[in-house]
Amino acid sequence: MQSVQHFGLKNHFLLAMPHLEDPNFAGSLSYLCDHDEKGTMGVIVNRPLELTLNALFEQLELDADESPHRHAPVYYGGPTHKDRGFILHRGASDAWDSSIQVADDIALTTSMDILQALANGKGPEQFLVCLGCAGWESGQLEAELKENAWLTVEGRADILFTVPPEQRLGAAAGILGVDLNLMTREAGHS
């Protein structure tokens, strides 16, 4: 009998279980932007780097002296493509050159035009700029879920954009009514 795979994790949070020891993902909350037969892609949303958007603007030689976004943190988005920017934001994807709509009100953009807009004090009001992303090959995430490495819950814009980064993992776990500090590796399988 062949197993049927379901690809419904787009627009979901991926919560690292306390026993997950991979330094790239321990204690992380990821937001999944794409999930299909080819694999899964997302960004870690609770790890601000010691880097502000102003430093990124300077590195990219964007004039941002008047930008109200200069002091926004830049996040570690994951171990893949660490030299690329992934901007998770509220709103539609069709305003930007290279963007995908993840949910009705959340898009992921990778094109330079959104950074230029932010440098000019324009662009989306709510956003997270991430360096790098997280990726799983086809079937890899599903296998890790079976091993109880992760919990999943539908993503929420308020947790992404209004909850402080250090509280996002707990807030996402709260949707499920769980306290990750009380979780163990031994979980039941049905």
Side-chain angles (χ1 to χ4, degrees):
M1 187 168 164
Q2 192 174 13
S3 70
V4 177
Q5 286 191 313
H6 298 282
F7 300 108
L9 293 179
K10 181 177 179 177
N11 186 37
H12 276 67
F13 286 128
L14 192 62
L15 295 73
M17 292 290 280
H19 61 271
L20 184 64
E21 295 177 2
D22 179 332
N24 290 310
F25 295 104
S28 71
L29 177 66
S30 298
Y31 178 72
L32 300 180
C33 301
D34 199 14
H35 181 228
D36 60 24
E37 68 280 351
K38 295 181 218 132
T40 309
M41 180 270 177
V43 289
I44 297 172
V45 297
N46 67 333
R47 289 201 182 153
L49 297 167
E50 290 187 22
L51 180 69
T52 64
L53 209 43
N54 194 53
L56 192 59
F57 291 151
E58 286 178 7
Q59 185 178 1
L60 297 170
E61 298 181 359
L62 297 174
D63 181 18
D65 292 341
E66 303 300 316
S67 176
H69 308 301
R70 290 189 326 267
H71 303 294
V74 174
Y75 290 81
Y76 170 76
T80 306
H81 303 298
K82 289 190 277 192
D83 58 338
R84 289 190 54 200
F86 296 82
I87 299 88
L88 197 60
H89 58 91
R90 295 293 291 260
S93 61
D94 57 5
W96 312 106
D97 291 340
S98 181
S99 193
I100 60 168
Q101 199 69 41
V102 180
D104 288 343
D105 63 339
I106 302 171
L108 180 74
T109 300
T110 58
S111 50
M112 190 64 144
D113 58 342
I114 194 169
L115 288 173
Q116 181 67 58
L118 291 170
N120 293 335
K122 297 181 173 75
E125 289 287 319
Q126 295 181 312
F127 62 89
L128 297 177
V129 175
C130 303
L131 288 179
C133 68
W136 293 263
E137 293 177 4
S138 180
Q140 183 183 1
L141 181 58
E142 291 78 5
E144 291 177 12
L145 286 165
K146 286 179 184 167
E147 294 168 2
N148 298 313
W150 307 98
L151 288 175
T152 62
V153 65
E154 190 166 352
R156 287 193 359 208
D158 62 324
I159 292 175
L160 285 171
F161 302 114
T162 62
V163 172
E166 68 277 3
Q167 296 173 17
R168 288 180 188 146
L169 180 60
I175 298 170
L176 295 170
V178 299
D179 180 345
L180 290 175
N181 297 318
L182 302 176
M183 307 280 300
T184 67
R185 185 178 188 93
E186 316 321 323
H189 293 278
S190 55

